[in-house]
Amino acid sequence: MGTIHKNGLRVADCVRRRRGRYLRNPQLAIRATATLIIAAILLVSCTSSRPVTKIALIAPFEGLYRQTGYTALEAMRSAIAQSDTGGIDIMPLALDGSGSAEQVRRATQKALRDPSVAALVGPFNPAKADAVADLLSVDGRAWYAPSTQVLTDTITAIAHADPPHNLLLVGDSELLAAVNAEILTTRLDLPVRVVLDAAAPPTNEDTVIWLGDAATAADELFRLRINAPETPFWLAFNGDTPIFAQRLLRTAGPNGEIVLPGPVYWAAWLDDGYTSWAETHQPNTPTAYVTYRATQRAIAQITGAEIVDAAQHLHVFQLQADGSSRLVSESR
């Protein structure tokens, strides 16, 4: 016995009746066929046949610095939307680089296993960029690592922007180990000390440059202000991460008192386009800008367009009492 339709007819009978109706009314058959063709055309037109290419973004998307990562991702999306992609669908591939150097290395390896990834941007921490440099140099794909200007150049530019009596370098042991104090002393013609512990506290005659994690920089600054309330304190990179100002302005000192931050500066390597770009974009932090520009360069490399490299110079920002930062100078 055949399958019964809901109206009591067998399915076979229903099929025969409909087929007979089409045969008796050719116009109905033509309309049904046309409807199917139009539906097929619409379905095909909704599916992009253009190639899809990815730009990997290695940045922190978890933990203390996640806001920095999402700021960079928004800037990358903005650059893609505002660029001529030459008929290529380009999309960001966000990979978390918030943990150890080994985690950043795994994220980079994941990006390199994806054949649709044509370029990589990040990581933003110089130490972590060094940890993946060997992978990217062998792979050969375009790599843009913002904020990885040679540390010696950064320290030299800071010293020229704020001539100190003495220069004191503190922070991450790996980064400090990469700095040659003797070369810097000769280049700057002033005493340069690298301090790995608190054995030699700074005085108001020093300028302190922090090479390391922005979150722990706030803790270091509290200790520094006990003996040197007015010495300039500089973050060599990642100064625009919100966590530094948040910790600095909301945490009491060792005895529970509120410690004034004193003169606090941070530096970023940017080209001349930053100021005008910042007036028309949000977010407009230096991290957002270097990500935006790196994405533009990656798109130019993908599409075969001319890549224009603008000269960068040190931009100096000063932390304000409300936690914001103000651009105070541009060194040439």
Side-chain angles (χ1 to χ4, degrees), residues 174-204:
E174 291 184 9
L175 292 174
L176 291 173
V179 175
N180 190 314
E182 293 182 2
I183 291 177
L184 278 173
T185 297
T186 302
R187 175 186 292 189
L188 298 173
D189 193 24
L190 56 84
V192 177
R193 288 186 294 150
V194 176
V195 178
L196 298 175
D197 52 42
T203 69
N204 285 331

Short mmCIF file of all heavy atoms in Angstrom, two decimals, residues 174-204:
data_model
loop_
_atom_site.label_atom_id
_atom_site.label_comp_id
_atom_site.label_asym_id
_atom_site.label_seq_id
_atom_site.Cartn_x
_atom_site.Cartn_y
_atom_site.Cartn_z
N GLU A 174 64.66 40.41 30.10
CA GLU A 174 65.04 40.03 28.74
C GLU A 174 65.30 41.26 27.87
O GLU A 174 66.25 41.30 27.09
CB GLU A 174 63.95 39.17 28.11
CG GLU A 174 63.82 37.78 28.75
CD GLU A 174 62.80 36.93 28.02
OE1 GLU A 174 62.33 37.35 26.94
OE2 GLU A 174 62.45 35.85 28.53
N LEU A 175 64.46 42.26 28.01
CA LEU A 175 64.65 43.48 27.23
C LEU A 175 65.88 44.25 27.71
O LEU A 175 66.64 44.80 26.91
CB LEU A 175 63.41 44.35 27.31
CG LEU A 175 62.17 43.81 26.61
CD1 LEU A 175 60.96 44.70 26.88
CD2 LEU A 175 62.40 43.68 25.12
N LEU A 176 66.06 44.29 29.03
CA LEU A 176 67.24 44.99 29.56
C LEU A 176 68.53 44.31 29.12
O LEU A 176 69.53 44.97 28.86
CB LEU A 176 67.16 45.03 31.09
CG LEU A 176 66.07 45.92 31.68
CD1 LEU A 176 66.00 45.75 33.20
CD2 LEU A 176 66.29 47.39 31.34
N ALA A 177 68.48 42.98 29.02
CA ALA A 177 69.67 42.25 28.59
C ALA A 177 70.04 42.56 27.14
O ALA A 177 71.19 42.40 26.73
CB ALA A 177 69.45 40.74 28.76
N ALA A 178 69.06 43.02 26.37
CA ALA A 178 69.32 43.34 24.96
C ALA A 178 69.90 44.74 24.77
O ALA A 178 70.24 45.11 23.65
CB ALA A 178 68.02 43.21 24.16
N VAL A 179 70.00 45.49 25.86
CA VAL A 179 70.49 46.87 25.78
C VAL A 179 71.96 46.90 26.19
O VAL A 179 72.34 46.35 27.23
CB VAL A 179 69.66 47.80 26.69
CG1 VAL A 179 70.26 49.20 26.70
CG2 VAL A 179 68.21 47.85 26.22
N ASN A 180 72.78 47.55 25.40
CA ASN A 180 74.20 47.70 25.72
C ASN A 180 74.41 49.08 26.33
O ASN A 180 74.41 50.09 25.63
CB ASN A 180 75.04 47.53 24.45
CG ASN A 180 76.52 47.43 24.76
OD1 ASN A 180 77.06 48.21 25.54
ND2 ASN A 180 77.19 46.46 24.13
N ALA A 181 74.57 49.11 27.65
CA ALA A 181 74.71 50.38 28.35
C ALA A 181 75.96 51.14 27.94
O ALA A 181 75.96 52.38 27.88
CB ALA A 181 74.71 50.14 29.87
N GLU A 182 77.03 50.42 27.62
CA GLU A 182 78.27 51.09 27.22
C GLU A 182 78.11 51.85 25.90
O GLU A 182 78.56 52.98 25.75
CB GLU A 182 79.41 50.07 27.12
CG GLU A 182 79.81 49.45 28.45
CD GLU A 182 80.98 48.48 28.30
OE1 GLU A 182 81.48 48.35 27.16
OE2 GLU A 182 81.37 47.87 29.30
N ILE A 183 77.43 51.20 24.95
CA ILE A 183 77.20 51.86 23.66
C ILE A 183 76.31 53.09 23.84
O ILE A 183 76.56 54.16 23.27
CB ILE A 183 76.56 50.87 22.66
CG1 ILE A 183 77.57 49.79 22.27
CG2 ILE A 183 76.05 51.60 21.42
CD1 ILE A 183 77.01 48.74 21.35
N LEU A 184 75.28 52.94 24.67
CA LEU A 184 74.40 54.07 24.92
C LEU A 184 75.13 55.21 25.63
O LEU A 184 74.91 56.39 25.32
CB LEU A 184 73.20 53.63 25.75
CG LEU A 184 72.05 52.97 24.99
CD1 LEU A 184 71.02 52.42 25.97
CD2 LEU A 184 71.40 53.94 24.03
N THR A 185 75.98 54.88 26.57
CA THR A 185 76.74 55.90 27.28
C THR A 185 77.60 56.71 26.31
O THR A 185 77.67 57.94 26.38
CB THR A 185 77.62 55.26 28.36
OG1 THR A 185 76.78 54.62 29.33
CG2 THR A 185 78.48 56.30 29.06
N THR A 186 78.22 56.00 25.38
CA THR A 186 79.05 56.68 24.37
C THR A 186 78.20 57.51 23.42
O THR A 186 78.52 58.65 23.11
CB THR A 186 79.87 55.65 23.58
OG1 THR A 186 80.68 54.90 24.48
CG2 THR A 186 80.74 56.33 22.55
N ARG A 187 77.09 56.91 22.97
CA ARG A 187 76.24 57.61 22.01
C ARG A 187 75.62 58.86 22.61
O ARG A 187 75.53 59.91 21.96
CB ARG A 187 75.14 56.67 21.51
CG ARG A 187 74.13 57.34 20.58
CD ARG A 187 72.99 56.43 20.22
NE ARG A 187 73.40 55.31 19.39
CZ ARG A 187 72.53 54.47 18.81
NH1 ARG A 187 71.23 54.62 19.00
NH2 ARG A 187 72.97 53.47 18.06
N LEU A 188 75.18 58.78 23.87
CA LEU A 188 74.46 59.89 24.49
C LEU A 188 75.38 60.82 25.27
O LEU A 188 74.96 61.92 25.66
CB LEU A 188 73.38 59.34 25.43
CG LEU A 188 72.29 58.48 24.78
CD1 LEU A 188 71.40 57.87 25.84
CD2 LEU A 188 71.47 59.32 23.80
N ASP A 189 76.60 60.36 25.54
CA ASP A 189 77.55 61.14 26.32
C ASP A 189 76.98 61.49 27.69
O ASP A 189 77.06 62.63 28.16
CB ASP A 189 77.94 62.42 25.58
CG ASP A 189 79.17 63.09 26.21
OD1 ASP A 189 79.96 62.38 26.87
OD2 ASP A 189 79.32 64.32 26.04
N LEU A 190 76.41 60.50 28.33
CA LEU A 190 75.92 60.66 29.70
C LEU A 190 75.86 59.28 30.35
O LEU A 190 75.79 58.26 29.67
CB LEU A 190 74.55 61.35 29.74
CG LEU A 190 73.38 60.74 28.95
CD1 LEU A 190 72.69 59.64 29.72
CD2 LEU A 190 72.37 61.83 28.62
N PRO A 191 75.88 59.22 31.68
CA PRO A 191 75.87 57.92 32.37
C PRO A 191 74.55 57.17 32.14
O PRO A 191 73.47 57.76 32.28
CB PRO A 191 76.04 58.30 33.85
CG PRO A 191 76.63 59.67 33.83
CD PRO A 191 76.07 60.35 32.62
N VAL A 192 74.67 55.91 31.78
CA VAL A 192 73.50 55.05 31.58
C VAL A 192 73.65 53.84 32.48
O VAL A 192 74.67 53.14 32.44
CB VAL A 192 73.37 54.61 30.11
CG1 VAL A 192 72.19 53.65 29.95
CG2 VAL A 192 73.21 55.81 29.20
N ARG A 193 72.63 53.60 33.31
CA ARG A 193 72.66 52.43 34.19
C ARG A 193 71.49 51.51 33.86
O ARG A 193 70.38 51.97 33.61
CB ARG A 193 72.55 52.85 35.66
CG ARG A 193 73.79 53.52 36.22
CD ARG A 193 73.62 53.76 37.71
NE ARG A 193 72.56 54.75 37.97
CZ ARG A 193 71.82 54.76 39.07
NH1 ARG A 193 71.98 53.81 40.00
NH2 ARG A 193 70.91 55.69 39.25
N VAL A 194 71.76 50.22 33.87
CA VAL A 194 70.72 49.21 33.72
C VAL A 194 70.51 48.57 35.08
O VAL A 194 71.44 47.98 35.64
CB VAL A 194 71.11 48.14 32.68
CG1 VAL A 194 70.05 47.04 32.61
CG2 VAL A 194 71.29 48.79 31.31
N VAL A 195 69.30 48.69 35.61
CA VAL A 195 69.02 48.22 36.97
C VAL A 195 68.06 47.05 36.91
O VAL A 195 66.94 47.17 36.41
CB VAL A 195 68.41 49.36 37.82
CG1 VAL A 195 68.07 48.85 39.22
CG2 VAL A 195 69.38 50.53 37.91
N LEU A 196 68.51 45.90 37.41
CA LEU A 196 67.69 44.69 37.41
C LEU A 196 66.95 44.48 38.71
O LEU A 196 66.12 43.59 38.82
CB LEU A 196 68.56 43.47 37.10
CG LEU A 196 69.23 43.48 35.72
CD1 LEU A 196 70.16 42.28 35.59
CD2 LEU A 196 68.20 43.48 34.61
N ASP A 197 67.27 45.26 39.73
CA ASP A 197 66.58 45.13 41.02
C ASP A 197 66.53 46.51 41.67
O ASP A 197 66.87 47.52 41.06
CB ASP A 197 67.29 44.11 41.93
CG ASP A 197 68.79 44.42 42.06
OD1 ASP A 197 69.15 45.61 42.20
OD2 ASP A 197 69.59 43.47 42.02
N ALA A 198 66.09 46.55 42.89
CA ALA A 198 65.93 47.82 43.59
C ALA A 198 67.17 48.22 44.38
O ALA A 198 67.12 49.06 45.27
CB ALA A 198 64.73 47.74 44.54
N ALA A 199 68.31 47.62 44.05
CA ALA A 199 69.52 47.89 44.83
C ALA A 199 70.02 49.32 44.65
O ALA A 199 70.68 49.87 45.52
CB ALA A 199 70.62 46.91 44.42
N ALA A 200 69.70 49.91 43.51
CA ALA A 200 70.18 51.28 43.24
C ALA A 200 68.98 52.17 42.92
O ALA A 200 68.66 52.39 41.76
CB ALA A 200 71.17 51.26 42.08
N PRO A 201 68.28 52.66 43.94
CA PRO A 201 67.08 53.46 43.69
C PRO A 201 67.42 54.76 42.98
O PRO A 201 68.49 55.34 43.19
CB PRO A 201 66.54 53.72 45.11
CG PRO A 201 67.73 53.59 46.01
CD PRO A 201 68.58 52.54 45.38
N PRO A 202 66.52 55.24 42.12
CA PRO A 202 66.78 56.48 41.39
C PRO A 202 66.62 57.70 42.30
O PRO A 202 66.05 57.64 43.38
CB PRO A 202 65.69 56.46 40.31
CG PRO A 202 64.58 55.67 40.92
CD PRO A 202 65.24 54.63 41.77
N THR A 203 67.13 58.81 41.81
CA THR A 203 66.99 60.09 42.48
C THR A 203 66.37 61.07 41.50
O THR A 203 66.13 60.75 40.33
CB THR A 203 68.35 60.62 42.95
OG1 THR A 203 69.13 60.99 41.79
CG2 THR A 203 69.11 59.57 43.75
N ASN A 204 66.16 62.30 41.96
CA ASN A 204 65.60 63.32 41.07
C ASN A 204 66.58 63.75 39.99
O ASN A 204 66.23 64.54 39.11
CB ASN A 204 65.14 64.53 41.88
CG ASN A 204 63.85 64.27 42.63
OD1 ASN A 204 63.03 63.47 42.19
ND2 ASN A 204 63.68 64.91 43.77
#
